[in-house]
Amino acid sequence: MSQISLPALLEPAWMPASMSSPTEPKKSKAQVFGARLFSTLTLWAVVTAVFMSDNVWAFLCALTLLGVFSVREYFQMTRKGGMPSQPKWGMLTGITYLVVVAVKIGKEGGGALDSLMAIDVAFVCLVVAGGFLCQLRRSIDGKNTVIEVSVTTLGFVYVAVLFSFLSRLLVLPVSSEEGVPGAWLLLWLIAVTKFTDMGAYITGSLIGKHKMIPHISPGKTWQGFGGALFFSQLAGCGLYALMPEKLAVLGGWAWVIGLGFVLSLLAVVGDLAESVLKRSIGVKDSGNTLPGIGGALDLIDSLCFTAPALYFCLRWMPV
């Protein structure tokens, strides 16, 4: 990333990029499949390597990198859609926040969880105060002045803060063992969330007839929603049956089933939330970080809703 000067942070950078560039030729199905296959294999190779390392820093680096790409894509979307925002300020604070959270968790482990809540509040205050500070050198531009600050703050909370809860889950189980105490918990969360997405897609494609929310996502059906709930239970209960000791933090079958339903509902909401964002801004894709698959934000949209829910349930409820 190029160096960012203070004057650059204060510049209005919400105008849409030039559309004069030639339209890219449409790729064939073979090219799309090849790109998707390459991205999928690369993604799984990275996930496998990180998981087998059993090193908390490897997990934190991978999650932080994914978060950085997602923050970048959010502000690229706002620029592409002509939505007033402060992308340079938003990316600077979002990336700094993700790095601070990762370093604190890496050094302190579970002991960092309480102090991270104070860091969350401090950074939100910084984003809002800094956002208004950026406006002081320019004349008021009607509603755009307030919209810039609001959209920037939304991006910070929606992407950076919510996604950071995946890193916190790594050290949530109280354990004296070396390695990553929450690695299996994170795997369980990702499996439940992604099986929800997969179940909705498969079931909706096969038997979907009744539209769920056509004004937001025309492809979503109630049949697909039912499939999402079923597949989430399949993943959650299946993994728990295979490794009950490693997932003992979930508290037993009643909690596994209950959390599975809650997380699947939130996964659907998270997916629809990004659809709302895209339609409001007027863009189709969040990015092309993973060729053939989509952007990093497309990959984590559901996790941004399920990770905080699982974290607070396990910390505050008598599981």
Side-chain angles (χ1 to χ4, degrees), residues 5-12 130 133-135 137-138:
S5 62
L6 182 57
L9 288 175
L10 301 178
E11 293 177 358
L133 177 63
C134 291
Q135 303 294 338
R137 68 182 292 270
R138 295 188 286 117

Side-chain angles (χ1 to χ4, degrees), residues 63-113:
L63 289 173
T64 301
L65 186 61
L66 186 57
V68 167
F69 279 126
S70 300
V71 169
R72 178 172 173 268
E73 286 181 2
Y74 173 87
F75 287 104
Q76 283 181 332
M77 280 201 306
T78 62
R79 182 180 180 85
K80 183 178 179 181
M83 177 68 73
S85 68
Q86 300 160 323
K88 293 177 181 178
W89 174 242
M91 285 191 288
L92 177 63
T93 51
I95 292 171
T96 302
Y97 168 81
L98 289 170
V99 172
V100 168
V101 170
V103 171
K104 193 164 184 64
I105 291 175
K107 287 184 175 181
E108 301 178 21
L113 295 178

Side-chain angles (χ1 to χ4, degrees), residues 52-294:
M52 291 182 64
S53 72
D54 199 28
N55 184 294
V56 69
W57 287 107
F59 278 86
L60 290 171
C61 285
L63 289 173
T64 301
L65 186 61
L66 186 57
V68 167
F69 279 126
S70 300
V71 169
R72 178 172 173 268
E73 286 181 2
Y74 173 87
F75 287 104
Q76 283 181 332
M77 280 201 306
T78 62
R79 182 180 180 85
K80 183 178 179 181
M83 177 68 73
S85 68
Q86 300 160 323
K88 293 177 181 178
W89 174 242
M91 285 191 288
L92 177 63
T93 51
I95 292 171
T96 302
Y97 168 81
L98 289 170
V99 172
V100 168
V101 170
V103 171
K104 193 164 184 64
I105 291 175
K107 287 184 175 181
E108 301 178 21
L113 295 178
D114 290 329
S115 59
L116 282 177
M117 302 304 293
I119 291 176
D120 294 343
V121 175
F123 263 88
V124 170
C125 293
L126 173 64
V127 172
V128 175
F132 279 106
L133 177 63
C134 291
Q135 303 294 338
L136 298 183
R137 68 182 292 270
R138 295 188 286 117
S139 301
I140 299 297
D141 185 21
K143 296 179 181 179
N144 287 337
T145 298
V146 175
I147 293 175
E148 282 190 17
V149 180
S150 302
V151 173
T152 302
T153 305
L154 172 63
F156 176 79
V157 175
Y158 169 52
V159 184
V161 175
L162 295 186
F163 182 71
S164 74
F165 281 89
L166 275 83
S167 297
R168 303 177 205 216
L169 288 171
L170 290 172
V171 294
L172 180 58
V174 178
S175 173
S176 59
E177 299 177 2
E178 296 183 358
V180 187
W184 292 103
L185 178 62
L186 186 63
L187 175 65
W188 185 83
L189 169 72
I190 294 174
V192 171
T193 303
K194 291 305 173 183
F195 264 66
T196 298
D197 297 340
M198 183 174 66
Y201 177 77
I202 293 176
T203 310
S205 298
L206 293 176
I207 61 174
K209 293 181 179 180
H210 300 90
K211 301 296 183 181
M212 187 176 176
I213 311 180
H215 61 283
I216 294 177
S217 184
K220 297 289 190 299
T221 63
W222 285 108
Q223 288 78 10
F225 177 68
L229 297 179
F230 173 77
F231 272 71
S232 68
Q233 290 297 318
L234 188 66
C237 294
L239 281 178
Y240 185 75
L242 290 174
M243 49 190 76
E245 294 182 359
K246 294 184 181 296
L247 294 172
V249 67
L250 293 175
W253 280 106
W255 280 102
V256 169
I257 296 172
L259 286 172
F261 275 116
V262 171
L263 295 181
S264 61
L265 290 172
L266 289 173
V268 173
V269 174
D271 184 53
L272 290 172
E274 194 191 8
S275 296
V276 170
L277 178 63
K278 289 178 181 178
R279 285 185 173 272
S280 298
I281 296 176
V283 299
K284 183 178 180 181
D285 300 310
S286 68
N288 194 35
T289 302
L290 299 169
I293 295 179

